[in-house]
Amino acid sequence: MLAMERIGVVVGVFGFTMATIYGFWTSSTDLGIEWVGVIGLILGGLLGFMIAWYLWMTRRRLEVDPSDDPLGDIDEIQGDYGFFSPHSWWPLFLAAASATCFLGLAVGWWMFIIGAFFAVPALIGWTFEYWKGEHAL
């Protein structure tokens, strides 16, 4: 986690440095400073520092992370990744419906509505796939 924290600091410093250079570079033109690029680089730098701050706070509260140990093994960091349904068809239907929705944004709203019509039941089916008992779908 320490390495990721340092990468966040590097991204933050890079963003602020490039914002300064970009601001001076564009101020030499006839139009003046190009504020969209400067503000975008400042926000990118703030994002890097925000990630570094979050990782620093998390590292302070937790035990020693196995990724910070230079002599640590890879299998020390493994954990529970969650439950994945081995034979579920719902993700395929939801992906097809989502692709239709995104295609509808480019083609027309009528296609988006068709995709949403298929996406809602697919999302409900995937969410409640393992519900059992009296309230099962």
Side-chain angles (χ1 to χ4, degrees), residues 16-30 32-35 37-38 41:
F16 279 105
T17 304
M18 288 297 113
T20 305
I21 293 171
Y22 188 76
F24 283 126
W25 191 310
T26 59
S27 67
S28 64
T29 63
D30 295 336
I33 296 177
E34 197 272 312
W35 288 105
V38 173
L41 287 167

Side-chain angles (χ1 to χ4, degrees), residues 97-112:
S98 299
T100 306
C101 286
F102 284 115
L103 183 64
L105 294 176
V107 173
W109 286 103
W110 61 273
M111 185 171 266
F112 180 86

Side-chain angles (χ1 to χ4, degrees), residues 6-136:
R6 289 179 180 165
I7 290 173
V9 171
V10 167
V11 168
V13 170
F14 177 79
F16 279 105
T17 304
M18 288 297 113
T20 305
I21 293 171
Y22 188 76
F24 283 126
W25 191 310
T26 59
S27 67
S28 64
T29 63
D30 295 336
L31 300 174
I33 296 177
E34 197 272 312
W35 288 105
V36 174
V38 173
I39 292 173
L41 287 167
I42 289 172
L43 290 175
L46 287 174
L47 178 65
F49 283 130
M50 182 179 70
I51 291 170
W53 177 78
Y54 170 76
L55 291 172
W56 174 69
M57 292 296 287
T58 304
R59 186 171 52 89
R60 277 188 20 202
R61 292 187 182 132
L62 297 177
E63 301 173 6
V64 176
D65 191 20
S67 65
D68 291 336
D69 185 11
L71 301 176
D73 291 329
I74 292 175
D75 61 348
E76 292 176 0
I77 200 167
Q78 70 184 3
D80 185 22
Y81 291 112
F83 173 73
F84 299 99
S85 180
H87 302 291
S88 178
W89 285 87
W90 290 113
L92 179 67
F93 297 139
L94 185 61
S98 299
T100 306
C101 286
F102 284 115
L103 183 64
L105 294 176
V107 173
W109 286 103
W110 61 273
M111 185 171 266
F112 180 86
I113 294 170
I114 292 171
F117 179 75
F118 287 111
V120 170
L123 182 62
I124 291 172
W126 194 16
T127 302
F128 297 110
E129 182 174 14
Y130 286 100
W131 272 37
K132 302 214 183 303
E134 182 180 340
H135 302 290

